[in-house]
Amino acid sequence: MKITNEFKCTFPAVSTNESLARAALSAFLIPADPTAQELADLRTVISEAVTNAIVHGYRNCSGEVAICLRMLPDRILYIRVSDKGCGIPDIEQAMTPLYTTAPEEERAGLGFAIMQEFTDSLYVRSSAGNGTTLTMRRRLGQIHAEQED
Amino acid sequence: MKITNEFKCTFPAVSTNESLARAALSAFLIPADPTAQELADLRTVISEAVTNAIVHGYRNCSGEVAICLRMLPDRILYIRVSDKGCGIPDIEQAMTPLYTTAPEEERAGLGFAIMQEFTDSLYVRSSAGNGTTLTMRRRLGQIHAEQED
Amino acid sequence: MQIHYDTGKSQLLVLLEGEIDHHSSVMLRAEIDAALYAHMPRTLILDFHQVTFMDSSGIGLIMGRYKILQPLGGEIILQKPSPYISRVLRLAGMERLAQITNSASPEEVAS
Amino acid sequence: MQIHYDTGKSQLLVLLEGEIDHHSSVMLRAEIDAALYAHMPRTLILDFHQVTFMDSSGIGLIMGRYKILQPLGGEIILQKPSPYISRVLRLAGMERLAQITNSASPEEVAS
Ligand SMILES: Nc1ncnc2c1ncn2[C@@H]1O[C@H](COP(=O)(O)OP(=O)(O)O)[C@@H](O)[C@H]1O
Ligand SMILES: Nc1ncnc2c1ncn2[C@@H]1O[C@H](COP(=O)(O)OP(=O)(O)O)[C@@H](O)[C@H]1O
């Protein structure tokens, strides 16, 4: 499929980079003129995915997180977040709302629920020991009549 | 040398991504609490380097620009910008202030002068046909006394 | 972040600020719990007026404080969330654990 | 961006806005030149008050307009740049081509 724009980045799995990931998403998305709601939703989505890579994938140890953002035709935003961490043994269980393997870190077990709610499609590929890749798509609404300021 | 944080990204050589590069730089730099002057200088530096890759490296044709940002010990910011474009045949000449090969695009010939002025070191590696890599370093000032807001 | 304690009402008011994510929630948790254990208030008010972003880490933060207060008969009020933050709160079903209000003080809502 | 023409003074005032880089300068050049050729003013005032970023593409933009006006005896005034933009203007030696002023109107400086 034709890609209108593509931004790929990598950074270490440290929690300060959660805001870096959100900033990159915003900067990539702004030229497409998203609504404030779309921007807020998608910032939340990337934050959940990157946090999971850091907290669960690498269990707060060192590692690298990779993001790929694409703008596809028809204003479809493609988001891919991957880690080379421990992987998810049972994906269905992991996606169950409120299920978390890190209650001691006060994880709510709602990351997947939020990602699913705020995207049109979410696909998880993971294998124990080989890391996890999330692929999500969200179609942005049509651009509104231009406003002069 | 020990790297405190590292952000690598790639994106297509299109002019809308000049602002994306600046946003990525800002997001990477903000946790280090730079002064407004440092942030402005370094946003200008990355903008010059990325613009050169797009305008001169790829001559406004398609190609990929890569950025690597590192925070090194002693608050030294490392910036690397590379393209796989046409390369620079004569680097000394290219770095001469006001020299430009694209006057018809109203380039001022001051990109290198600004990058040199706003960084502590600038190193250019380029070979005709193989692209160009700029490596720059700038040491940030010490953090000021914390202010409560 | 600012924390105010009202002895008369046994009310702890926490004015949250900025972005609440996994990174910031660690520090927020420590500061809120220090005040919580110092005063053991009947009511904890978390004010979201100045919060610009929150993901499920913020939900974990609320649930964690709920688990501390609930056995002691305390309650939580989530005050003045933006529409975006309300969306996340609702998605997480936070209205089952806490009162969500848009006004400055809970009295305004009760009246 | 807004453009105002004052016939009496033969003055074209361009209120620039936002970020001036290679991407935005292409459009800015087209709009400014359309007004420049329509009025052929004696003075072109570029106002930087609302400009939040400018790299050497902005210098190219100024130099290009200088090359149009200068043979006709016209002049350029660069008005109200922020400290960061002043720094780039000075580095580029723009004070040799144009008057740089911090006040709202050139009259204020002359008086
Ligand atoms: N990138 C990942 N690597 C390994 N395990 C993961 C990853 N992402 C999610 N998981 C697993 O899925 C569970 C549910 O994730 P999520 O719904 O985001 O909730 P939470 O992050 O609050 O635990 C996690 O507790 C973890 O066990
Ligand atoms: N990435 C690059 N690839 C090829 N040529 C380059 C590159 N960067 C700079 N140059 C050459 O160096 C010259 C001077 O660059 P610079 O000082 O940035 O001024 P300007 O961009 O205004 O031309 C350019 O005109 C071009 O010929």
Side-chain angles (χ1 to χ4, degrees):
Chain A
M1 197 179 234
K2 209 184 151 294
I3 299 170
T4 309
N5 199 11
E6 179 179 60
F7 178 80
K8 287 187 192 180
C9 68
T10 62
F11 47 84
V14 294
S15 67
T16 40
N17 288 335
E18 292 155 9
S19 58
L20 180 57
R22 293 195 295 274
L25 185 277
S26 301
F28 183 81
L29 207 55
I30 295 281
D33 201 10
T35 63
Q37 182 71 71
E38 286 165 344
L39 189 59
D41 287 1
L42 292 161
R43 281 168 63 85
T44 311
V45 161
I46 199 112
S47 199
E48 298 292 350
V50 169
T51 301
N52 278 357
I54 295 170
V55 174
H56 305 300
Y58 296 113
R59 297 188 173 138
N60 298 310
C61 297
S62 66
E64 196 172 75
V65 183
I67 294 179
C68 174
L69 303 174
R70 290 183 185 153
M71 194 52 79
L72 306 176
D74 296 327
R75 295 172 59 74
I76 293 171
L77 177 72
Y78 165 102
I79 303 178
R80 192 175 67 215
V81 177
S82 41
D83 63 67
K84 297 202 174 67
C86 63
I88 304 177
D90 182 341
I91 295 176
E92 214 183 301
Q93 183 184 45
M95 295 181 74
T96 309
L98 301 176
Y99 175 82
T100 180
T101 51
E104 75 292 352
E105 291 196 53
E106 299 203 336
R107 303 306 305 159
L110 289 168
F112 275 123
I114 287 178
M115 288 186 267
Q116 282 190 301
E117 180 71 20
F118 289 176
T119 58
D120 299 324
S121 72
L122 163 68
Y123 176 70
V124 186
R125 201 177 58 211
S126 187
S127 64
N130 276 320
T132 301
T133 297
L134 303 192
T135 312
M136 296 171 278
R137 282 182 171 77
R138 161 108 177 227
R139 186 170 179 161
L140 304 179
Q142 291 312 302
I143 308 177
H144 312 278
E146 255 185 50
Q147 281 194 316
E148 280 288 289
D149 57 345
Chain B
M1 196 179 235
K2 207 185 151 296
I3 298 171
T4 308
N5 199 9
E6 179 179 61
F7 179 81
K8 288 188 191 179
C9 68
T10 61
F11 48 83
V14 294
S15 66
T16 39
N17 288 335
E18 291 154 9
S19 56
L20 179 58
R22 293 196 295 274
L25 186 278
S26 301
F28 183 81
L29 207 53
I30 295 282
D33 202 9
T35 64
Q37 181 73 69
E38 286 166 343
L39 189 59
D41 287 1
L42 291 162
R43 281 170 61 86
T44 312
V45 162
I46 199 111
S47 199
E48 298 293 350
V50 169
T51 301
N52 278 358
I54 296 170
V55 174
H56 306 300
Y58 295 113
R59 297 189 173 137
N60 298 310
C61 297
S62 66
E64 198 173 74
V65 182
I67 294 179
C68 174
L69 304 173
R70 288 181 187 155
M71 193 52 78
L72 305 176
D74 296 327
R75 293 172 59 73
I76 293 171
L77 177 72
Y78 165 103
I79 303 178
R80 193 176 67 215
V81 176
S82 43
D83 64 66
K84 297 202 173 67
C86 63
I88 305 177
D90 183 340
I91 294 176
E92 215 184 300
Q93 183 185 44
M95 294 182 72
T96 309
L98 302 176
Y99 175 82
T100 181
T101 51
E104 75 291 352
E105 292 197 51
E106 299 202 336
R107 303 306 304 160
L110 289 168
F112 275 123
I114 287 178
M115 287 186 268
Q116 282 190 302
E117 180 72 20
F118 288 176
T119 59
D120 298 324
S121 72
L122 162 70
Y123 176 70
V124 186
R125 202 178 57 211
S126 188
S127 66
N130 277 320
T132 301
T133 297
L134 303 192
T135 312
M136 295 172 278
R137 282 182 172 76
R138 162 109 177 225
R139 186 172 179 159
L140 305 178
Q142 289 315 301
I143 308 178
H144 312 277
E146 254 186 52
Q147 281 195 313
E148 279 288 290
D149 56 343
Chain C
M1 189 174 66
Q2 286 181 43
I3 301 189
H4 302 285
Y5 181 61
D6 181 330
T7 323
K9 294 181 186 158
S10 184
Q11 213 172 57
L12 192 70
L13 172 64
V14 178
L15 299 167
L16 299 160
E17 270 174 25
E19 304 198 324
I20 304 182
D21 64 2
H22 162 243
H23 178 71
S24 64
S25 64
V26 175
M27 193 270 296
L28 292 175
R29 189 200 321 182
E31 288 193 37
I32 295 171
D33 283 0
L36 217 49
Y37 288 115
H39 304 295
M40 273 305 171
R42 194 201 309 271
T43 309
L44 169 65
I45 305 179
L46 298 175
D47 183 292
F48 289 86
H49 187 53
Q50 304 270 55
V51 175
T52 53
F53 173 84
M54 186 181 86
D55 65 15
S56 74
S57 308
I59 300 299
L61 187 72
I62 298 167
M63 285 166 67
R65 307 302 62 72
Y66 177 77
K67 284 182 192 148
I68 296 172
L69 280 174
Q70 198 251 344
L72 305 165
E75 54 153 10
I76 299 190
I77 294 173
L78 308 176
Q79 182 170 286
K80 293 200 269 179
S82 73
Y84 310 119
I85 288 166
S86 295
R87 197 162 140 83
V88 174
L89 292 175
R90 264 181 285 123
L91 193 67
M94 284 298 102
E95 69 281 359
R96 284 181 307 228
L97 312 188
Q99 188 186 326
I100 304 178
T101 151
N102 278 312
S103 43
S105 71
E107 284 77 17
E108 281 178 47
V109 172
S111 69
Chain D
M1 186 174 68
Q2 287 181 40
I3 301 189
H4 302 284
Y5 182 60
D6 181 330
T7 323
K9 293 181 185 159
S10 185
Q11 214 173 54
L12 191 71
L13 172 64
V14 177
L15 298 168
L16 298 161
E17 271 174 25
E19 305 199 323
I20 304 181
D21 63 2
H22 162 244
H23 179 71
S24 64
S25 65
V26 174
M27 192 271 294
L28 292 176
R29 188 200 320 181
E31 288 193 37
I32 296 170
D33 283 359
L36 217 48
Y37 287 116
H39 303 296
M40 274 304 171
R42 194 201 307 273
T43 309
L44 168 65
I45 305 178
L46 297 175
D47 184 292
F48 289 86
H49 187 54
Q50 305 269 54
V51 175
T52 52
F53 173 84
M54 186 179 87
D55 65 13
S56 75
S57 307
I59 301 298
L61 186 73
I62 299 168
M63 285 166 68
R65 310 297 68 69
Y66 177 78
K67 283 183 191 147
I68 295 172
L69 280 174
Q70 197 250 347
L72 306 166
E75 54 154 10
I76 299 190
I77 294 173
L78 307 176
Q79 182 170 288
K80 295 198 271 179
S82 73
Y84 310 118
I85 288 166
S86 295
R87 197 162 140 83
V88 174
L89 292 174
R90 263 180 284 122
L91 193 69
M94 284 297 102
E95 69 282 359
R96 286 181 307 227
L97 312 188
Q99 189 186 327
I100 305 178
T101 152
N102 278 313
S103 42
S105 69
E107 284 78 16
E108 281 178 47
V109 172
S111 70

